Amino acid sequence: MKFEDIKDLMKKPEPKADTYEAGMAQNQLLKIGTHAIKIHNMLDNDAEMESWVAKKIDLASNYVKSVHGYTAGQKAGTYDDDGMTEDAGEGHMSKSQLYATAKMAIELIDMIDKGDDLEGWVQTKLNLAADYLQAVYHYEDYQKLNPY
């Protein structure tokens, strides 16, 4: 599945969770990918942001990265910043993390089959990542309408 395919996933109704953890994980991954792309499109590269917003994006990205590495059967690698310099704006760094997060969420949707038995920590990390990105999305959406 490609990054552009998330647009098609966003148009489809969320998959119904089955009685297994995998169905719930796929639902959370769809939310994670959807919110990551929406937030990515909201942010400007040079944007300053609240520290908690950047922290939630960072945590969500790390959670998805750890699940991705585990599910792929590999150790999770370090964050690849594509040669960004330290003086890049917070928006640029967060957008890069959101892109990587959405990409890994899409890959995980394909890796996890309904009925797979997932460990509890996997579901916990996906739930937290989805919650964090949803909170950031709603905050950024509100800020676009009512800047302070």
Side-chain angles (χ1 to χ4, degrees):
M1 187 176 279
K2 296 181 182 174
F3 185 73
E4 294 81 33
D5 294 345
I6 194 73
K7 291 179 185 173
D8 293 333
L9 287 175
M10 290 173 16
K11 293 177 185 173
K12 295 179 184 176
E14 290 184 11
K16 301 244 188 267
D18 60 10
T19 58
Y20 300 99
E21 299 90 357
M24 293 185 296
Q26 288 180 326
N27 282 335
Q28 293 298 61
L29 288 163
L30 184 57
K31 289 178 187 176
I32 290 166
T34 300
H35 282 103
I37 288 178
K38 286 180 178 180
I39 298 165
H40 176 274
N41 292 337
M42 287 177 162
L43 296 178
D44 296 323
N45 284 338
D46 299 324
E48 293 292 323
M49 60 182 59
E50 300 287 334
S51 61
W52 71 267
V53 171
K55 183 67 175 174
K56 284 192 184 263
I57 291 171
D58 188 44
L59 287 170
S61 179
N62 286 336
Y63 290 158
V64 173
K65 188 185 301 181
S66 67
V67 171
H68 183 273
Y70 172 78
T71 305
Q74 305 169 353
K75 268 187 159 176
T78 58
Y79 177 69
D80 180 14
D81 65 359
D82 293 327
M84 289 190 320
T85 60
E86 286 186 22
D87 54 297
E90 290 173 339
H92 184 71
M93 178 62 84
S94 292
K95 286 182 73 154
S96 181
Q97 285 182 302
L98 290 163
Y99 175 86
T101 301
K103 186 175 177 183
M104 286 184 282
I106 292 167
E107 291 173 6
L108 279 165
I109 288 172
D110 287 338
M111 285 185 213
I112 298 172
D113 295 321
K114 291 221 179 210
D116 283 353
D117 189 24
L118 302 179
E119 296 187 35
W121 70 266
V122 169
Q123 189 65 43
T124 298
K125 287 190 182 271
L126 295 178
N127 287 341
L128 287 169
D131 288 347
Y132 291 165
L133 291 177
Q134 188 172 18
V136 169
Y137 170 74
H138 290 300
Y139 173 78
E140 290 293 335
D141 189 41
Y142 179 80
Q143 289 302 314
K144 294 286 184 196
L145 297 174
N146 302 297
Y148 51 86

